[in-house]
Amino acid sequence: MTPREWFTTAADGYLTVVSGASADVLDAPGLGEWDVRSLLGHSARAFQTIETYLAAEPEAISLRGPSEYFIATRAGLADPVAVTERGRAAGIALGDDPITAIGEIADRVLALVNAEPDDAVATTPVGAITLLDYLPTRAFELTVHGLDLAAATRQSTPKELAISAVDAAQLAIPLSGPTRAAEILFALTGRGQLAEGFSVL
């Protein structure tokens, strides 16, 4: 899929899961230390950061492609404690009806993405990147956390997320580096197992 196709497909699948969640699961376990509300808050940032970074003062492009973005964030923004707290704060900020709030945010951001050119500049905390290169990072987040939410709320995987998972895997494996990519290949082909807590992010 093109970056725009993947983003739209992942967004559709993610929103299907969000709309299938009920208010009585918001305090249920979500992912790690997050409850479902916090997971919703964190995952909704996949939309919100697009809006925020496109509105920021444009800078010279310094990140070429989604892999460079993820590597930069892994170095500068991946503190687990900070990520956990941002998710909790984002969940609270969605208000009393987070499911409706996410739908409204998504509608607004999807319209924005459709209106912006590929070379629009997203100025992120770790550098500037074109919209076309930033969208796969958002599609990745929506895919992974859409699957997280489906598991946490005991929903089946929407076909859009199943399709998106292929593109997510293609983006994730190169982030692991040559040695760890070999470990992933061995696991995928039944020749070994990944260590507990293994992550490319």
Side-chain angles (χ1 to χ4, degrees):
M1 290 186 284
T2 67
R4 288 181 179 272
E5 288 170 342
W6 181 18
F7 177 70
T8 301
T9 301
D12 287 345
Y14 169 81
L15 291 170
T16 295
V17 175
V18 170
S19 65
S22 56
D24 60 358
V25 302
L26 294 177
D27 296 324
L31 176 68
E33 296 183 31
W34 285 329
D35 56 16
V36 170
R37 178 188 295 277
S38 298
L39 180 55
L40 286 168
H42 174 79
S43 56
R45 284 173 49 79
F47 293 115
Q48 292 169 308
T49 57
I50 294 174
E51 193 171 46
T52 300
Y53 297 162
L54 286 177
E57 186 69 24
E59 297 178 359
I61 298 297
S62 58
L63 300 172
R64 305 288 178 177
S67 292
E68 286 194 11
Y69 171 82
F70 275 128
I71 290 169
T73 57
R74 186 168 61 193
L77 295 176
D79 174 65
V81 174
V83 171
T84 298
E85 289 307 314
R86 282 198 298 268
R88 287 176 177 151
I92 293 170
L94 290 173
D96 294 334
D97 188 356
I99 293 167
T100 297
I102 289 175
E104 293 172 352
I105 292 166
D107 286 345
R108 189 173 68 238
V109 174
L110 286 165
L112 173 65
V113 168
N114 286 335
E116 291 286 341
D118 290 348
D119 61 355
V121 178
T123 304
T124 83
V126 295
I129 187 171
T130 67
L131 175 62
L132 196 67
D133 283 342
Y134 188 58
L135 285 178
T137 74
R138 304 304 87 198
F140 183 91
E141 293 284 336
L142 291 171
T143 300
V144 173
H145 291 311
L147 294 170
D148 289 333
L149 281 166
T153 57
R154 299 184 180 182
Q155 298 183 57
S156 59
T157 300
K159 63 180 181 181
E160 295 89 350
L161 291 183
I163 293 169
S164 295
V166 176
D167 291 72
Q170 290 175 339
L171 176 55
I173 292 175
L175 295 175
S176 64
T179 301
R180 302 184 87 194
E183 294 179 41
I184 295 172
L185 179 60
F186 263 49
L188 291 175
T189 55
R191 288 164 172 79
Q193 294 183 338
L194 296 176
E196 185 176 354
F198 180 98
S199 175
V200 300
L201 299 179

